[in-house]
Amino acid sequence: MVIAFTGDPFLAKEALLQEASLRGLTRLAGQGRGLYLDPTPEALAEALRPGLFGQAGALLDLREVSEGEWKALKPLLENVPEEVAVLILDPKPTTARAAFYRTRERRDFPTPKGKDLIRHLENRAKRLGFRLTAGIAQYLASLEGDLEALERELEKLSLLDPPLTLEKVERVVALKPPVSGFDLVRAVLEGNAKEAFRRLKRLREEGEEPLRLLGAFAWQFSLLAKAWMLLEENPRPTEADLLRLEAHPYAAKRALELARGLPKATLLAGLDALVQAERRAKEGKDPWLALEGAVYALLRLAPARPA
């Protein structure tokens, strides 16, 4: 019996280890790559033979297996007896391996997105003995990190003294906020030139594409404009009103926070500055200079920051 675990690497690995525990296959630890058998025909053939300590079986990690190694393993896997369990970790199988799994048991675990990711984080927090508020769950879901990295951050949060606040989480979590985050926008609107250019410098050093940043910055200001217009209609918008912003709930709430009290002239001038910057960048001018020029123009519109 061959069972392949595909999809999200973290979820697939967790499910495989649970299945291995149920079948008593964790006894194979140390025979290869940790819990996994060396992906060689010799090692697999040996593992498929019943031994003195119980039934045969194997755990295989195929994430770094070449096509040549797979071709050598395939004949053995095609003839695995039904009573012998071979559990395969293969999050992103090649076309050849995916075709092989069509006639075997394949358990796929897609990476959760959007509301599913928020629900995943809330459930994982409960397993660790604490509760995530909707705002904190949305913030964590917006960060740049895979499920395993998010799990490590949840483990850290489980050690904090309650109550768990967003400010406390932001200080502790080590994952990067998304490039489209509001920190740069907030620094600009508050007239904090030092913080704004510090963030730009960090992004440049990390190899971010200036056109992508410019587009993300423009998107944030467009969202800010939508939030400003929403507040003009209803100073106390409901959760249903937030849906009209067509953005992640966390991003929508942050946009409303920034839009409150923002002068219309500042908003319109900011949007115009970003349009001009994008035009200059696309016309062949240095995109970093265009982006920095837009930030400088927006800082001039913002109120002076107290010394």
Side-chain angles (χ1 to χ4, degrees), residues 116-177:
D116 289 336
L117 177 55
I118 292 172
R119 194 176 303 113
H120 166 85
L121 292 169
E122 290 172 340
N123 290 336
R124 301 298 295 199
K126 287 179 183 176
R127 289 176 58 172
L128 291 169
F130 69 103
R131 179 180 173 275
L132 288 179
T133 65
I136 292 174
Q138 289 163 5
Y139 169 73
L140 292 173
S142 75
L143 299 177
E144 294 184 354
D146 57 23
L147 292 190
E148 186 166 7
L150 287 167
E151 185 76 8
R152 302 292 83 81
E153 297 303 329
L154 287 174
E155 289 171 356
K156 286 197 296 187
L157 295 180
S158 70
L159 302 176
L160 298 180
D161 294 329
L164 194 63
T165 63
L166 182 57
E167 291 72 24
K168 193 182 294 186
V169 170
E170 287 177 324
R171 287 197 302 269
V172 171
V173 169
L175 297 178
K176 286 171 51 180

Side-chain angles (χ1 to χ4, degrees), residues 74-143:
K74 185 180 175 185
L76 288 170
L77 293 172
E78 287 176 328
N79 294 294
V80 172
E82 185 63 26
E83 68 275 9
V84 175
V86 176
L87 310 185
I88 297 176
L89 179 62
D90 198 2
K92 296 180 180 179
T94 62
T95 302
R97 298 203 297 266
F100 176 78
Y101 300 148
R102 287 195 197 108
T103 55
R104 276 83 187 172
E105 184 175 349
R106 175 175 174 175
R107 302 181 189 178
D108 193 57
F109 301 86
T111 301
K113 304 288 185 182
K115 291 182 179 179
D116 289 336
L117 177 55
I118 292 172
R119 194 176 303 113
H120 166 85
L121 292 169
E122 290 172 340
N123 290 336
R124 301 298 295 199
K126 287 179 183 176
R127 289 176 58 172
L128 291 169
F130 69 103
R131 179 180 173 275
L132 288 179
T133 65
I136 292 174
Q138 289 163 5
Y139 169 73
L140 292 173
S142 75
L143 299 177

Side-chain angles (χ1 to χ4, degrees), residues 19-89:
E19 184 69 23
S21 179
L22 289 173
R23 294 176 177 272
L25 292 181
T26 51
R27 64 182 174 80
L28 293 173
Q31 289 194 10
R33 302 175 181 178
L35 283 173
Y36 303 97
L37 203 66
D38 282 328
T40 64
E42 295 78 17
L44 180 57
E46 179 66 25
L48 295 179
R49 286 196 287 269
L52 296 174
F53 302 103
Q55 65 180 25
L59 310 185
L60 285 174
D61 182 353
L62 301 188
R63 285 177 291 184
E64 298 179 7
V65 166
S66 67
E67 280 300 299
E69 290 173 313
W70 165 248
K71 287 179 180 177
L73 291 171
K74 185 180 175 185
L76 288 170
L77 293 172
E78 287 176 328
N79 294 294
V80 172
E82 185 63 26
E83 68 275 9
V84 175
V86 176
L87 310 185
I88 297 176
L89 179 62

